[in-house]
């Protein structure tokens, strides 16, 4: 009898042949120390007013936004990032059923809409809630923050690149073609437009208007297709329209690039960067985002997502966003050498914070080659009263003037210029004066350099701090905690590529990852009795 019944679409008809035993409550199956219980209690303590405000209305049979947030976070805690995988888990996994609280599992499009339409607008607010709660219960110190960045591949095609340099070159060629076409039309149709041999865009628009007026006056009908001969006027108008359309396309691409050198057609917010994960071993650039983490006591307390390949310009926006949102202010800023700049030092000073940033020349300055390089100002004697340097040959390099240098971010740095009084007949000239690309012969050249006194002072003060016991402790914790957070996301949680497109959606996905990481970390610390410990101790050798 069972053999015939089993070949039906409704499998419940076969249950009368055996007794099915199921518990009445799935809560009794889940262990008491399971992380899903901690997640549920953690989200219940959060203020989700901003999340609920993104909904126009909530239907009775709809899963509540709080439960949707719990499910999304639990999915990310367990390495489920696809909305389809989370939907499957809601139908099969009892932990996800526990978070549904008896509601029907939503489909994958509901999870995708929740992530981009509802969670993204309030993602930073939710991260703020998590960080403030961790600070309230004493899990983070609120004194030192360890900052580092990494590049994560965007959800974009590797070969849909647009290079700003190539667009600029093509635009210059196109403008030359447009100018030639305008002059050609002036001679052929007897139209006078150009003044002082300068072709401007207003001349091109006037030419187009004149050509269409000429077409209407002569009653010319445009023809298309094989076997039909086009008039000279039609060819001129079509060529002009083609050039203008191409010029508009180039302008749009340059505007999309902005201050960047490239972007992806699939995801216009992503920039092509050099990644550590290079499968082809050829240095191929890939569309990616630069994710910045601020870590305290192994928890990600704040993060930003940018499209700039370097970390230098990301520090100030990171610190501003953190200060605007968190209920407390970090005193010590610990970062790697990639964040060192006069602008960053000055901002930290003005913000009444202390910088523990590893100088860019810290490692190389320990080498014998660096210490024996007489061309560097670090190896020259400096007379503070007379404001001059003394070189290896005993000659004086006096100040000859100052100049201001403006960075891409708009910061103005004052540079002081020093010139040697006499470099003739110097035995150290070939070692002191560097650069072989100068057109002036070495015998006729004079030692000259420029330096920022403010930056030199800031670097010296910072170097004094980082070599102290406190500085060594903080630098060690930065390498463990900040870089460790990226190791856990990429290796342990196996997150190597974003699922969403657009910088706002990528930021929301990064915050989902960060909150999931924090809850996992809190769960592990509770189970290992490590709560309340903020720093790893520095082991001193005998």
């Amino acid at each position: 009898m069972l053999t015939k019944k089993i070949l039906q679409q409704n499998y419940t008809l076969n249950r009368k042949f055996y007794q099915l035993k199921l518990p009445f409550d799935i809560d009794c199956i889940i262990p008491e120390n399971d992380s899903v219980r901690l997640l549920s209690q953690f989200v219940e303590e959060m203020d989700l007013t901003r999340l609920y405000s993104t909904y126009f209305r909530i239907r009775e049979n709809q899963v509540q936004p709080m439960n949707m947030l719990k499910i999304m976070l639990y999915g990310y805690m367990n390495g489920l990032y696809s909305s389809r995988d989370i939907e499957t888990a809601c139908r099969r996994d009892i932990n996800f059923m526990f978070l549904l609280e008896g509601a029907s599992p939503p489909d994958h499009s509901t999870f995708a809409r929740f992530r981009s339409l509802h969670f993204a607008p309030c993602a930073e607010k939710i991260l703020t809630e998590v960080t403030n709660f961790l600070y309230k219960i004493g899990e983070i110190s609120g004194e030192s923050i360890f900052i580092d960045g990494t590049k994560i591949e965007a959800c974009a095609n590797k070969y849909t690149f647009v290079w700003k340099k190539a667009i600029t070159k093509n635009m210059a060629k196109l403008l030359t073609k447009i100018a030639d076409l305008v002059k050609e039309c002036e001679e052929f149709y007897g139209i006078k437009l150009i003044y002082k041999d300068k072709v401007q865009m207003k001349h091109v628009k006037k030419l187009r208007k004149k050509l269409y007026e000429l077409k209407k006056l002569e009653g010319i009908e445009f023809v298309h297709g094989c076997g039909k001969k086009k008039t000279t006027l039609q060819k001129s108008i079509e060529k002009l329209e083609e050039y203008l359309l191409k010029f508009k396309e180039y302008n749009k691409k340059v505007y999309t690039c902005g201050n960047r050198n490239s972007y992806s057609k699939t995801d216009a917010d992503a920039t092509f960067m050099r990644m550590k994960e290079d499968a082809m071993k050829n240095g191929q650039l890939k569309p990616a985002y630069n994710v910045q983490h601020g870590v305290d006591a192994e928890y990600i307390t704040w993060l930003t997502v940018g499209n700039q390949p370097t970390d230098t310009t990301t520090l100030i926006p990171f610190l501003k966003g953190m200060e605007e949102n968190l209920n407390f202010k970090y005193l010590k800023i610990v970062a790697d050498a990639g964040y060192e700049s006069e602008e960053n030092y000055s901002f930290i000073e003005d913000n009444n914070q202390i910088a523990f940033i590893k100088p860019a020349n810290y490692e190389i300055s320990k080498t014998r080659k660096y210490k024996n390089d007489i061309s560097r100002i670090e190896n020259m004697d400096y007379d503070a009263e007379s404001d001059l340097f003394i070189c290896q040959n005993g000659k004086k390099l006096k100040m000859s003037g100052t100049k201001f240098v403006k960075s891409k971010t708009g910061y103005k740095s004052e540079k002081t210029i020093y010139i040697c009084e006499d470099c003739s007949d110097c035995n150290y000239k070939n070692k002191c004066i560097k650069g072989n690309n100068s057109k002036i012969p070495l015998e006729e050249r004079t030692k000259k350099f420029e330096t920022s006194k403010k930056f030199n002072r800031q670097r010296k003060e910072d170097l004094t701090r980082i070599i102290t016991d406190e500085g060594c402790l903080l630098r060690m914790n930065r390498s463990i905690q900040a870089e460790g957070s990226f190791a856990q996301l990429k290796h342990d949680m196996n997150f190597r590529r974003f699922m969403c497109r657009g910088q706002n959606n990528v930021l929301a996905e990064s915050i989902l990852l960060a909150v999931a990481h924090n809850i996992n970390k809190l769960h592990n610390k509770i189970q290992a009795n490590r709560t309340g410990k903020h720093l790893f101790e520095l082991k001193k050798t005998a």
Side-chain angles (χ1 to χ4, degrees):
M1 185 66 68
L2 179 60
T3 307
K4 296 181 181 179
K5 293 284 185 181
I6 204 168
L7 301 177
Q8 327 185 57
Q9 293 180 350
N10 187 359
Y11 302 133
T12 58
L13 296 176
N14 300 323
R15 284 197 305 185
K16 61 183 181 180
F17 297 102
Y18 61 93
Q19 185 177 2
L20 185 65
K21 298 178 181 179
L22 288 174
F24 289 103
D25 190 5
I26 61 173
D27 182 66
C28 61
I29 307 176
I30 302 173
E32 296 178 354
N33 61 348
D34 199 291
S35 60
V36 70
R37 297 183 182 275
L38 176 65
L39 165 69
S40 182
Q41 296 168 8
F42 198 95
V43 176
E44 291 286 344
E45 294 292 329
M46 295 168 59
D47 181 12
L48 302 178
T49 308
R50 288 283 299 275
L51 178 63
Y52 277 83
S53 65
T54 60
Y55 285 84
F56 177 71
R57 65 186 180 91
I58 301 174
R59 298 187 299 271
E60 292 183 3
N61 58 346
Q62 182 179 353
V63 179
Q64 294 297 308
M66 179 181 289
N67 298 87
M68 289 290 291
L69 179 60
K70 291 179 182 179
I71 293 168
M72 290 296 294
L73 286 174
Y74 193 67
Y76 275 71
M77 286 170 63
N78 292 275
L80 300 177
Y81 310 116
S82 169
S83 56
R84 294 180 184 272
D85 292 342
I86 295 175
E87 178 192 359
T88 304
C90 286
R91 300 182 185 278
R92 298 180 179 179
D93 196 313
I94 60 170
N95 286 14
F96 283 90
M97 296 176 188
F98 171 79
L99 296 176
L100 279 171
E101 296 180 0
S104 300
D107 62 349
H108 63 90
S109 58
T110 305
F111 288 116
R113 285 196 302 269
F114 174 81
R115 183 167 49 193
S116 58
L117 299 181
H118 301 292
F119 181 78
C122 60
E124 288 187 344
K125 179 67 177 176
I126 289 176
L127 179 60
T128 304
E129 286 283 328
V130 172
T131 303
N132 288 335
F133 180 75
L134 290 172
Y135 178 72
K136 184 179 178 181
I137 63 177
E139 273 301 294
I140 59 178
S141 66
E143 295 179 1
S144 306
I145 185 165
F146 310 105
I147 302 173
D148 200 7
T150 190
K151 300 177 183 70
I152 299 180
E153 189 177 347
C155 182
N157 194 297
K158 300 175 185 177
Y159 304 105
T160 57
F161 42 76
V162 177
W163 306 108
K164 190 176 183 180
K165 191 174 181 180
I167 298 168
T168 309
K169 286 183 179 179
N170 292 335
M171 185 179 285
K173 293 178 183 178
L174 181 63
L175 290 173
T176 305
K177 290 181 181 180
I178 292 175
D180 294 340
L181 180 62
V182 171
K183 292 179 181 178
E184 181 185 324
C185 290
E186 274 191 333
E187 295 175 0
F188 194 83
Y189 300 107
I191 303 171
K192 183 62 180 175
L193 294 170
I194 304 174
Y195 178 70
K196 291 184 179 181
D197 293 332
K198 289 184 179 180
V199 180
Q200 299 178 0
M201 193 51 62
K202 62 180 181 180
H203 299 147
V204 181
K205 292 179 179 178
K206 282 184 180 179
L207 176 62
R208 181 171 62 175
K209 186 178 179 181
K210 293 282 185 182
L211 291 179
Y212 275 107
E213 287 177 357
L214 188 62
K215 173 201 169 189
K216 186 177 180 181
L217 183 65
E218 296 182 1
I220 298 175
E221 292 292 334
F222 284 180
V223 294
H224 302 280
C226 298
K228 296 181 181 179
K229 187 176 180 180
K230 296 180 181 179
T231 61
T232 309
L233 181 62
Q234 181 179 352
K235 291 179 182 179
S236 300
I237 291 175
E238 287 181 352
K239 187 180 289 187
L240 183 62
E241 292 286 0
E242 180 187 349
Y243 287 167
L244 289 176
L245 188 65
K246 203 68 180 175
F247 182 75
K248 185 178 179 181
E249 178 188 338
Y250 287 156
N251 265 333
K252 185 178 179 181
K253 288 181 178 179
V254 170
Y255 176 78
T256 305
C257 273
N259 296 326
R260 299 177 292 164
N261 294 324
S262 63
Y263 74 90
S264 171
K265 295 178 184 176
T266 318
D267 184 359
D269 291 338
T271 308
F272 277 79
M273 308 177 188
R274 199 173 302 280
M275 309 284 288
K276 290 182 180 178
E277 297 87 2
D278 188 6
M280 302 296 292
K281 304 295 182 182
N282 59 355
Q284 182 186 24
L285 302 180
K286 296 179 183 178
Y289 287 93
N290 191 350
V291 182
Q292 300 290 316
H293 277 186
V295 183
D296 181 8
E298 302 176 67
Y299 298 100
I300 302 171
T301 58
W302 194 250
L303 67 84
T304 57
V305 173
N307 49 24
Q308 56 271 53
T310 57
D311 294 333
T312 312
T313 56
T314 62
L315 183 62
I316 294 177
F318 182 92
L319 296 178
K320 285 182 178 178
M322 186 170 56
E323 189 172 352
E324 290 172 0
N325 289 277
L326 301 185
N327 293 339
F328 55 94
K329 182 178 178 180
Y330 282 102
L331 176 64
K332 301 168 187 175
I333 310 300
V334 189
D336 202 3
Y339 297 88
E340 190 195 29
S341 70
E342 183 182 333
E343 184 179 3
N344 291 341
Y345 278 138
S346 302
F347 179 84
I348 293 172
E349 281 182 358
D350 298 339
N351 207 27
N352 298 321
Q353 293 171 310
I354 303 173
F356 287 85
I357 300 176
K358 185 178 178 181
N361 64 342
Y362 180 72
E363 296 296 339
I364 195 174
S365 64
K366 300 177 184 178
T367 61
R368 184 183 303 172
K369 181 180 179 181
Y370 186 93
K371 294 177 181 178
N372 295 332
D373 190 353
I374 62 174
S375 66
R376 297 184 178 274
I377 62 172
E378 293 89 346
N379 299 327
M380 296 182 186
D381 296 329
Y382 178 67
D383 187 354
E385 294 181 1
S386 305
D387 191 15
L388 55 85
F389 288 88
I390 300 173
C391 70
Q392 183 77 13
N393 200 24
K395 299 294 183 180
K396 297 178 181 178
L397 287 87
K398 298 180 180 179
M399 186 186 76
S400 65
T402 58
K403 71 174 185 178
F404 290 91
V405 179
K406 191 175 182 180
S407 66
K408 291 183 179 180
T409 57
Y411 178 79
K412 289 184 179 180
S413 176
E414 184 180 0
K415 301 280 188 179
T416 307
I417 304 170
Y418 293 89
I419 300 178
C420 184
E421 56 184 359
D422 184 19
C423 278
S424 59
D425 301 327
C426 180
N427 296 328
Y428 304 99
K429 201 167 188 177
N430 58 344
K431 295 181 179 179
C432 185
I433 300 178
K434 298 297 176 101
N436 300 321
N437 297 326
S438 178
K439 296 181 180 179
I440 305 173
L442 183 62
E443 296 77 15
E444 301 176 10
R445 293 165 65 183
T446 304
K447 178 67 176 180
K448 177 182 177 182
F449 64 83
E450 57 187 48
T451 183
S452 171
K453 293 181 180 179
K454 185 178 182 181
F455 177 69
N456 292 338
R457 174 187 62 80
Q458 291 169 337
R459 172 180 273 187
K460 187 176 180 181
E461 292 174 356
D462 180 68
L463 180 61
T464 306
R465 283 192 295 268
I466 68 169
I467 60 177
T468 60
D469 291 341
E470 182 188 19
C472 293
L473 176 66
L474 294 177
R475 283 193 294 127
M476 182 202 69
N477 275 272
R478 188 211 64 82
S479 62
I480 294 174
Q481 297 193 29
E483 296 179 14
S485 67
F486 293 122
Q488 288 173 349
L489 292 186
K490 289 184 172 182
H491 183 73
D492 296 347
M493 300 173 72
N494 198 26
F495 188 86
R496 300 298 180 102
R497 193 171 188 260
F498 286 110
M499 306 292 294
C500 304
R501 295 176 179 175
Q503 189 164 342
N504 291 333
N505 291 335
V506 167
L507 176 63
E509 193 168 7
S510 301
I511 290 176
L512 274 173
L513 271 171
V515 177
H517 167 271
N518 289 346
I519 297 174
N520 270 335
K521 181 63 66 176
L522 179 62
H523 169 68
N524 293 333
K525 278 192 167 187
I526 291 173
Q527 298 302 318
N529 293 322
R530 290 182 55 242
T531 55
K533 294 184 179 180
H534 303 143
L535 295 175
F536 291 93
E537 296 181 0
L538 188 64
K539 295 181 180 179
K540 295 183 179 181
T541 56

